Amino acid sequence: MKTRAEDATYAFANAREVQRERLALLALLLDEGTFRLLDRLGVRPGWRCLEVGAGGGSVAAWLCERVGPGGSVLATDLDTTVLVDHEQPRLEVREHDLLRDELPEAEFDLVYARLLLAWLPRPELGLRRMLAALRPGGCALLEEMDFVSVAPDPRLDRESRVVFERVVEAHNAVLAESHSFDPFYGRRLAGEVASAGLVEAGCEGRASIWQGGEAGGRVWRLTLLQLRDRLVASGLVTAADVDRALELLEERRLRFLSQITVAAWGCRPGG
């Protein structure tokens, strides 16, 4: 879910074992909403689908089941370490850099990407290339996060709230500065899709209350573990702050509002 230009600085390389677990947790948290939207778009037998930045492969696997023997799914990523676990006849896995490598044009009934554009140094180019891969009448569904909403339950004790909020702010700042990540890209997504000339466009945002020790807390904990050294080096938080946040994310008494997963969709005219 990155380009080769970002290979050295991308925060969550798929080849790491911890990232395999992190991708599985994200699938657990996000797939239900994604599958509901894909079902609404009418994914059906015979469709040819493309997933860009397919990561852990759970969506690609779902698409393979839905398109049936007469359809196909192309799943791409710069790092296909986890994707190859889903090998099956209807699935083609391809190592691919969205900003440098060509995609087939006007070929797919569906183009899908999740948590991809916010990582790209040129998201507008990535979006343009993905939409060019749609056949006339084909539909795109894109999902990105916006971290504006992340906040602890105010019933949490003040010391814990302050530390958690400080570490979340540092997380956003470090990713934005060190990894060209836009933690607030989600709010841009609907406008970018609407401006691309798609018809039947729509959007929604999904958020939930996540809890320490459960999937939401665990995915944040794995994220902070991978960023710990960079967070401390930033000077925005201390090692004690990060370690306290890691402890909180294992405690069920921590409840917090998740980041918003923003989905936007539309279809290419002319079908």
Side-chain angles (χ1 to χ4, degrees):
M1 292 189 286
K2 58 187 184 302
T3 68
R4 293 190 185 99
E6 301 301 303
D7 193 31
T9 58
Y10 182 65
F12 309 114
N14 291 350
R16 302 173 188 167
E17 188 59 36
V18 66
Q19 178 64 354
R20 184 183 295 268
E21 181 181 356
R22 183 173 174 273
L23 288 170
L25 288 169
L26 284 170
L28 181 64
L29 291 162
L30 303 180
D31 277 359
E32 181 179 358
T34 296
F35 297 161
R36 173 177 54 82
L37 292 174
L38 289 170
D39 188 60
R40 183 191 297 174
L41 282 176
V43 179
R44 56 185 178 270
W47 272 28
R48 178 155 169 73
C49 302
L50 167 67
E51 183 182 5
V52 182
S58 61
V59 176
W62 185 93
L63 289 170
C64 284
E65 291 297 319
R66 182 57 64 96
V67 301
S72 64
V73 178
L74 172 60
T76 74
D77 205 305
L78 185 59
D79 183 343
T80 60
T81 303
V82 185
L83 273 178
V84 294
D85 293 345
H86 296 276
E87 185 176 357
Q88 57 176 287
R90 293 189 287 276
L91 177 64
E92 177 187 353
V93 174
R94 184 183 303 177
E95 186 175 295
H96 180 268
D97 183 332
L98 179 61
L99 298 188
R100 297 188 182 187
D101 301 333
E102 297 299 321
L103 283 172
E105 292 195 7
E107 185 169 324
F108 297 96
D109 299 287
L110 172 77
V111 170
Y112 174 74
R114 184 167 74 191
L115 314 187
L116 170 68
L117 292 172
W119 287 101
L120 300 182
R122 297 184 63 192
E124 73 288 348
L125 174 59
L127 178 61
R128 186 164 65 249
R129 287 188 166 178
M130 286 192 288
L131 297 184
L134 285 172
R135 65 164 183 79
C139 297
L141 172 63
L142 306 168
E143 295 184 294
E144 296 290 337
M145 286 182 169
D146 196 306
F147 285 77
V148 67
S149 58
V150 180
D153 183 337
R155 298 179 303 167
L156 190 66
D157 66 275
R158 183 179 184 279
E159 181 271 334
S160 297
R161 287 201 318 271
V162 170
V163 169
F164 184 79
E165 290 167 348
R166 186 184 302 140
V167 171
V168 168
E169 290 179 5
H171 158 277
N172 294 344
V174 164
L175 287 181
E177 182 176 348
S178 303
H179 302 283
S180 301
F181 174 71
D182 182 354
F184 309 115
Y185 187 84
R187 69 192 66 176
R188 297 180 56 91
L189 184 62
E192 298 288 3
V193 169
S195 299
L198 301 183
V199 298
E200 301 178 43
C203 64
E204 72 167 36
R206 308 190 302 272
S208 186
I209 299 296
W210 290 355
Q211 191 167 358
E214 297 187 352
R218 288 160 59 201
V219 77
W220 264 94
R221 189 173 190 279
L222 291 174
T223 297
L224 295 182
L225 279 171
Q226 293 184 78
L227 293 176
R228 185 183 185 280
D229 291 345
R230 294 180 179 91
L231 289 168
V232 175
S234 74
L236 298 171
V237 289
T238 66
D241 288 334
V242 180
D243 291 342
R244 180 62 185 128
L246 291 170
E247 290 174 357
L248 283 168
L249 288 163
E250 292 186 292
E251 298 177 12
R252 291 180 59 82
R253 71 187 184 93
L254 172 66
R255 291 181 174 84
F256 59 99
L257 183 61
S258 74
Q259 56 268 43
I260 303 169
T261 300
V262 179
W265 58 86
C267 300
R268 184 173 180 176

